[in-house]
Structures are given as structure tokens and as C-alpha cells.
Amino acid sequence: MKIIVSNEIELACPGFVGACVEAEVENTLYCEPLWEEIRQLCEEYKQRFDTVNIKEMPSIAATRRVYKACGKDPSRYRPAAEALIRRVVQGKELYQRDTLVDLINLASMRFGYSIGGFDASKFVGDTLTLGIGKADEPYEGIGRGQINIEGMPVYRDALGGVGTPTSDHERTKIGLETSHLLVLINGYDGDEEHVRDNAEYIKSLLQRFCNSDGGNYFIYR
């Protein structure tokens, strides 16, 4: 898959750095060892964060700044990593989906990046372009129905939007049948080392919990 970062994103976030992880995987409905790690991180975060200082995590703070630069209110349309950690510190249970989705949520919380996870077989074309959502652009968020992505960073394939930091699209969502996974890590803080660490962490989780060799990743700007 080729990833293009548009000029409008470069203007809103000159230091943007992303990572694309691709792997052959086996998905399952539930993985108890994975959830042991999720629960451990949740307990750590309950002690470390509250609903105010979550926003100070550098990766989350940077994503919020880009939302504002693009014209979106990050408190109304929360980036996914912030929403996940916020749910934890409020004492609410995380939703359990399937092993791949749960794994991506864990990686997102640990590093603070809003991570897109996709069934790569569902993309149209061989190129994804990161741009900014337009007025009245149709977009069906997973489990959210039509959402307003105007002023929000969005990845598009040849057919249209597939991923934003708030919600990925129903059309390319992961399912139990997913065997070709593509993950996009969005480093709006420009910290390439942190982004690479996140990609390596995802590879290790895939090796441990998804009967995968972890696949490969590349950095893009």
C-alpha cells in the first residue's frame, strides 16, 4: 500500500510522521492473555491520569492541536486514544470486540496515538491519501452511523474516506474473517522514535496473540 500525505496536512502539521504496519494474521473472538495486559494497563492509567491530564500526553495533545488547526473541536469529536483512556479513568469498562481490535486499542492507549486498523482486502485501489474532511463528505463511522468529518484528518482510498483519528469507516473494518491487516499510526507530535516503538509493539502483539510473524512496517511523512 502506498501512503500519500497531502499538502493540507503538511500545512496543518509540518512535523507529521506516520507508520504503516502490514501483516498476515489470524483473528479470534477473545484472547485472555491479551486482556490480562489490557487490564494491567488500565489499572496503571487509573492511578496515573484523570480526565484533565490525559490531554497533556504529548501524542494526544498534538492530535488535539491538529484537530483545531484543521477546524475541528477535539472535545466534541475526541481522538480515539483520548476517548479510550478517558473511559478507563472514568472507571468504565472497555468494549471487547475481537482480538485484533482489542490489540489495536491496547497499542493506542499505551502510546497515545490514534491508530487506524483495517482489513486491507477491503480497500479500493493501492493508495491511501491523508487529507482533511470536506463539508458534507459522507462517512459512516464504525458503530456511529454518519459522522461529520469536515475539518478532521481523513485517509481516503479510491472510493472515499476509510479512517479518521476519531473513528474508522464501516466499509473497511476488521472482522473475524480478517487475514490481511493494515495498521496506520498517526504521529502528529512528529516523534519518529515513539512512532517506531509503537509499530514494533504492534508487531510483537501480533506475534504473540494473532499467529503472525508480525509483518513489516514503513515510515511515511
Side-chain angles (χ1 to χ4, degrees), residues 76-135:
R76 184 177 178 188
Y77 297 88
R78 294 188 191 280
E82 179 186 348
L84 285 167
I85 300 173
R86 183 181 178 87
R87 185 174 183 84
V88 167
V89 301
Q90 288 176 329
K92 300 176 182 177
E93 294 293 327
L94 291 180
Y95 297 110
Q96 190 274 317
R97 301 300 189 190
D98 57 55
T99 299
L100 285 175
V101 173
D102 299 341
L103 179 155
I104 290 167
N105 285 343
L106 170 60
S108 181
M109 288 192 299
R110 184 170 293 281
F111 285 82
Y113 292 125
S114 291
I115 299 173
F118 309 92
D119 185 325
S121 70
K122 298 177 181 178
F123 289 130
V124 177
D126 62 358
T127 302
L128 295 175
T129 301
L130 178 58
I132 298 175
K134 310 302 182 186

Side-chain angles (χ1 to χ4, degrees), residues 37-51 53-54 57 59-60 81-82 84-91 94 105-113 194 201:
E37 295 202 17
I38 292 172
R39 287 190 285 267
Q40 182 178 8
L41 183 65
C42 288
E43 290 304 313
E44 176 187 332
Y45 277 12
K46 286 176 186 177
Q47 302 300 318
R48 179 179 171 187
F49 292 112
D50 57 40
T51 56
N53 66 13
I54 293 169
M57 184 184 289
S59 44
I60 290 176
E82 179 186 348
L84 285 167
I85 300 173
R86 183 181 178 87
R87 185 174 183 84
V88 167
V89 301
Q90 288 176 329
L94 291 180
N105 285 343
L106 170 60
S108 181
M109 288 192 299
R110 184 170 293 281
F111 285 82
Y113 292 125
H194 200 51
Y201 180 62

Side-chain angles (χ1 to χ4, degrees), residues 161-183:
V162 296
T164 73
T166 292
S167 175
D168 292 331
H169 198 286
E170 281 279 353
R171 174 168 62 88
T172 50
K173 72 178 180 181
I174 292 166
L176 287 176
E177 76 287 353
T178 297
S179 60
H180 184 186
L181 176 71
L182 187 140
V183 178

Side-chain angles (χ1 to χ4, degrees), residues 147-164:
I147 62 174
N148 175 13
I149 65 167
E150 181 181 3
M152 190 182 294
V154 57
Y155 287 93
R156 300 181 180 95
D157 67 3
L159 192 59
V162 296
T164 73

Side-chain angles (χ1 to χ4, degrees), residues 202-218:
I202 289 171
K203 282 169 56 67
S204 72
L205 293 177
L206 293 174
Q207 290 169 340
R208 293 165 59 200
F209 302 123
C210 297
N211 194 25
S212 173
D213 66 2
N216 298 294
Y217 76 90
F218 62 87

Side-chain angles (χ1 to χ4, degrees), residues 8-14 61-74 132-133 150-153 188:
E8 56 190 358
I9 290 293
E10 291 179 354
L11 288 172
C13 183
T63 306
R64 290 176 62 88
R65 285 195 299 271
V66 168
Y67 266 46
K68 292 176 181 178
C70 294
K72 207 67 171 175
D73 180 356
I132 298 175
E150 181 181 3
M152 190 182 294
Y188 291 103

